[in-house]
Amino acid sequence: DWNLGEVMGIEDVGTVNFNLEVDGFGLTSDLLNTDVSGQIKRFEYRGYDYTNGEVVGHLTEGLFEGQFMVRDPKLNVEFDGSIDVRDERPDLYFDLDVITADLFALGVVEDSIGYLSTTMAARFSGLGLDDSRGTLNIDRTMYETDQSVYFVGYMDLSSELEEGQRKLSIDSDLLKGKAEGDFTVNSLIESLRGHFRQYFSGLDAPQPVEEQRLVYEFTLYNTLPITELFYPDLTIETGTKIYGSYNDKDNKISINLD
């Protein structure tokens, strides 16, 4: 067994057992530079041992470029692209086909049944909404629980940051819209908590944040996969529009529904 996570500097990755052809040099993170191809018999990630994998690609410190597939009983996926974590803001450029994933067996969800299938095209840098720039396209997503099966045809997400102004956009068969302004998602949540705390005393005191300012507009379409999963008693009419603005410096929030 080889501790790949230690070599790559990735905490969630553990040991790996493989039968590979290697053309290159280095077995430590600062020297690794090699082409690899072959079978991965076992691969540990976040405490689960995945089996029956194949890989073809190039491996250096903090960088993988190539293809791999997993045919584990609990996970059937195909990956083609690159993951580069050498800089503070990682670059992700890949296509991922999740044929099936048993999220309960993999420890992702607590429900006894949680099967996922989807395809994904990632073209962005950074981690999280507050750091990412680029696009993420998700197609043909199906999620099965012990109560129902939910399907989303497509969801295209984009994040831009220019001269301190952030723009988050979404286009899908669930909803379409955007939010623009000087804000971060994490700070916005804290700021809104502080705003509504003046009306609802039971809310916890927010953490201090920088000024948050934005305008937004969204049109809601088929929201059933979301409302049925999280808010089963909520019904939203197709075509409902929600738009407005928020400025915490002026203590003003605008919410409009059409």
Side-chain angles (χ1 to χ4, degrees), residues 83-107:
I83 298 178
D84 187 348
V85 296
R86 293 174 294 182
D87 296 329
E88 183 177 348
R89 298 182 72 255
D91 292 318
L92 298 98
Y93 191 103
F94 62 82
D95 297 319
L96 179 67
D97 186 2
V98 181
I99 300 167
T100 183
D102 185 341
L103 301 185
F104 172 73
L106 300 178

Side-chain angles (χ1 to χ4, degrees), residues 7 19 41 54 96 142-143 162 185 190-191 221 232-233 239 243 251:
V7 172
N19 182 12
K41 298 179 181 179
E54 296 182 15
L96 179 67
M142 184 173 68
Y143 182 62
E162 294 184 4
V185 175
E190 289 296 320
S191 179
Y221 299 115
D233 295 331
Y243 59 94
N251 195 31

Side-chain angles (χ1 to χ4, degrees), residues 50-210:
Y50 299 88
T51 60
N52 195 20
E54 296 182 15
V55 61
V56 177
H58 185 77
L59 191 64
T60 62
E61 179 189 6
L63 170 67
F64 173 79
E65 296 177 290
Q67 303 85 39
F68 72 78
M69 65 179 62
V70 178
R71 296 291 184 259
D72 185 88
K74 304 300 182 182
L75 180 67
N76 190 347
V77 301
E78 298 178 356
F79 172 97
D80 183 3
S82 65
I83 298 178
D84 187 348
V85 296
R86 293 174 294 182
D87 296 329
E88 183 177 348
R89 298 182 72 255
D91 292 318
L92 298 98
Y93 191 103
F94 62 82
D95 297 319
L96 179 67
D97 186 2
V98 181
I99 300 167
T100 183
D102 185 341
L103 301 185
F104 172 73
L106 300 178
V108 179
V109 299
E110 296 181 356
D111 296 334
S112 59
I113 297 178
Y115 295 102
L116 173 70
S117 65
T118 188
T119 62
M120 182 183 304
R123 306 288 187 269
F124 66 89
S125 62
L127 289 175
L129 289 175
D130 291 338
D131 183 48
S132 297
R133 302 178 190 177
T135 61
L136 179 64
N137 306 114
I138 305 171
D139 293 310
R140 301 187 302 279
T141 300
M142 184 173 68
Y143 182 62
E144 179 182 355
T145 70
D146 57 350
Q147 298 180 345
S148 188
V149 177
Y150 308 94
F151 180 79
V152 179
Y154 73 99
M155 182 177 295
D156 299 331
L157 306 171
S158 70
S159 176
E160 306 173 25
L161 183 63
E162 294 184 4
E163 298 180 353
Q165 298 296 299
R166 179 171 301 279
K167 178 180 178 181
L168 298 178
S169 303
I170 181 172
D171 182 12
S172 76
D173 48 5
L174 300 178
L175 73 160
K176 180 178 181 179
K178 61 183 178 180
E180 297 180 273
D182 185 6
F183 70 98
T184 64
V185 175
N186 289 333
S187 296
L188 179 61
I189 293 173
E190 289 296 320
S191 179
L192 287 171
R193 181 184 298 173
H195 179 85
F196 287 109
R197 192 169 183 260
Q198 59 188 320
Y199 308 110
F200 305 99
S201 58
L203 295 177
D204 295 334
Q207 297 294 324
V209 296
E210 297 179 353

Side-chain angles (χ1 to χ4, degrees), residues 211-232:
E211 179 183 346
Q212 303 292 294
R213 176 176 50 82
L214 76 153
V215 295
Y216 63 91
E217 57 177 333
F218 296 95
T219 301
L220 309 180
Y221 299 115
N222 177 27
T223 60
L224 186 61
I226 296 178
T227 56
E228 188 174 279
L229 186 60
F230 297 104
Y231 307 102

